[in-house]
Amino acid sequence: MEIKRVGVVGCGLMGSGIAEVCARSGYEVLVREVNSALLQKGLDRINKSLAKAVSRGKMSQEEADQATARMQGTLDLADFGDCDLVVEAAIENMAIKKEIFAELDSVLPAHAILASNTSSLCVTEMASVTRRGDKVLGIHFFNPVPVMPLIEFVRTILTSDETMEIAHEFGASLGKTMVTAKDTPGFIVNRLLMPYILDAVHIYENGLASKEDIDTAIHLGLNHPMGPLTLLDFVGLDTCLFIADAMYEEYKDARYAAPPLLRRMVLAGHLGRKSGKGFYDYS
Ligand code: 3HC
């Protein structure tokens, strides 16, 4: 099967990055948001990112214009009828994802592949509301999508070999390196990342070191691009708390238990860069 047209559900931080990377790789892209203000915000983010790529000499103005021309927005999932592959990057809420999967299953052509960009939810549960379990998988991108070179594939016990082959061809066409994990909470990256991030909050909460020293220690001592608390601000405290809670819910393992400070910062609206304040101030 040849993938020509890609659908992306959600045009937030991840959805807009996925739509941009697909359009830059030559696919026709249809992206859906729940209202026109959010759709416009997402498309503006993509155009800004393309303009930045042009200004940094990563692509020509003509290539950026072609990528823009390949992208269309919609508010209606019914418009996805001629998509060969859809990546769902909507809010991390299982009930909403199941609604989207059920609707897409009735709209998409029989050959189409249905993927979720979820970072922690059960892909098998999403597949269970479709009649194409063999064509459902997780395609987990990393933030910022245009920069991060990895895709994590999540294979359920229903996903067919053929679907995995097509997904690999698709990932390669986006210029990404791919790894595959079983459908278990956190997959590979978040299974390892979350205990590390949560531990950083624990040691800060317990007064072992200042936040700056924790970050500098990891940034310069291990050569990570960002220390753990800066990374938490970057990914979003609410997102990390959601992932940790989902992992704790399934494993009941203390390694995934969110520290009290993280939960309270989220309740206080200190979500990181997106809200202007997290462990650091971005106002
Ligand atoms: N979109 C497009 N390009 C971007 C970008 C964005 N949002 N942010 C940065 N870039 C590009 C810049 O244009 C620049 O490109 P160039 O070097 O070719 O000119 C390059 O990335 C480096 O950017 P900067 O010089 O501005 O800044 P840094 O060197 O500090 O890099 C960073 C920024 C790439 C974000 C780097 O700090 C980094 O890699 N941080 C770690 C990110 C990370 O760990 N992401 C994974 C999060 S976990 C996740 O997503 C999973 C989820 O389930 C939680």
Side-chain angles (χ1 to χ4, degrees):
M1 181 190 71
E2 198 195 345
I3 295 171
K4 288 193 180 126
R5 193 165 165 81
V6 176
V8 180
V9 182
C11 201
L13 205 57
M14 296 305 286
S16 60
I18 295 165
E20 177 187 337
V21 165
C22 292
R24 281 169 75 158
S25 304
Y27 294 104
E28 296 291 323
V29 178
L30 181 63
V31 59
R32 180 265 200 171
E33 253 306 345
V34 288
N35 65 51
S36 43
L38 284 177
L39 181 60
Q40 197 51 54
K41 196 172 164 195
L43 294 174
D44 288 349
R45 190 185 295 115
I46 297 172
N47 287 328
K48 213 169 132 192
S49 178
L50 288 171
K52 193 171 161 194
V54 172
S55 73
R56 294 216 179 199
K58 286 188 198 166
M59 68 194 308
S60 67
Q61 185 60 53
E62 194 189 353
E63 285 167 330
D65 292 342
Q66 283 168 355
T68 304
R70 281 193 282 268
M71 271 180 296
Q72 272 183 304
T74 180
L75 301 180
D76 197 349
L77 286 182
D79 292 339
F80 281 61
D82 55 356
C83 287
D84 306 301
L85 181 147
V86 176
V87 184
E88 171 276 317
I91 182 171
E92 289 280 74
N93 174 309
M94 181 56 87
I96 292 176
K97 286 191 192 287
K98 279 162 88 172
E99 259 177 47
I100 292 169
F101 267 64
E103 186 171 351
L104 284 174
D105 186 48
S106 65
V107 166
L108 289 174
H111 69 269
I113 289 177
L114 194 38
S116 175
N117 177 56
T118 185
S119 52
S120 55
L121 295 176
C122 176
V123 179
T124 312
E125 192 171 345
M126 298 173 215
S128 73
V129 298
T130 74
R131 289 156 298 172
R132 63 179 83 215
D134 60 317
K135 295 187 175 63
V136 174
L137 81 162
I139 305 186
H140 185 208
F141 290 83
F142 294 84
N143 179 27
V145 180
V147 182
M148 301 300 284
L150 187 74
I151 284 180
E152 196 172 34
F153 288 131
V154 183
R155 182 171 191 169
T156 79
I157 47 180
L158 297 169
T159 316
S160 69
D161 289 342
E162 192 194 357
T163 298
M164 293 309 296
E165 272 166 37
I166 296 167
H168 270 94
E169 279 166 30
F170 173 66
S173 74
L174 302 182
K176 303 290 188 191
T177 298
M178 295 152 279
V179 294
T180 303
K182 287 182 183 165
D183 182 23
T184 50
F187 318 131
I188 301 172
V189 173
N190 283 328
R191 176 99 179 236
L192 293 169
L193 177 65
M194 285 306 140
Y196 154 71
I197 278 195
L198 298 177
D199 237 2
V201 179
H202 272 302
I203 66 172
Y204 171 62
E205 199 175 24
N206 293 338
L208 182 116
S210 70
K211 58 191 173 192
E212 291 83 2
D213 281 2
I214 293 169
D215 277 344
T216 302
I218 295 299
H219 177 47
L220 300 182
L222 295 179
N223 234 357
H224 287 199
M226 293 170 159
L229 301 175
T230 306
L231 183 60
L232 237 171
D233 277 359
F234 181 75
V235 173
L237 276 69
D238 53 340
T239 303
C240 288
L241 178 62
F242 184 88
I243 297 170
D245 282 348
M247 291 174 72
Y248 185 78
E249 173 68 24
E250 184 116 4
Y251 293 120
K252 301 286 189 291
D253 182 329
R255 281 181 300 167
Y256 310 113
L261 177 65
L262 178 61
R263 198 171 299 283
R264 278 149 187 79
M265 287 178 74
V266 171
L267 288 169
H270 295 177
L271 308 181
R273 281 199 200 190
K274 66 172 113 172
S275 73
K277 189 167 168 50
F279 286 92
Y280 300 94
D281 197 335
Y282 303 91
S283 54

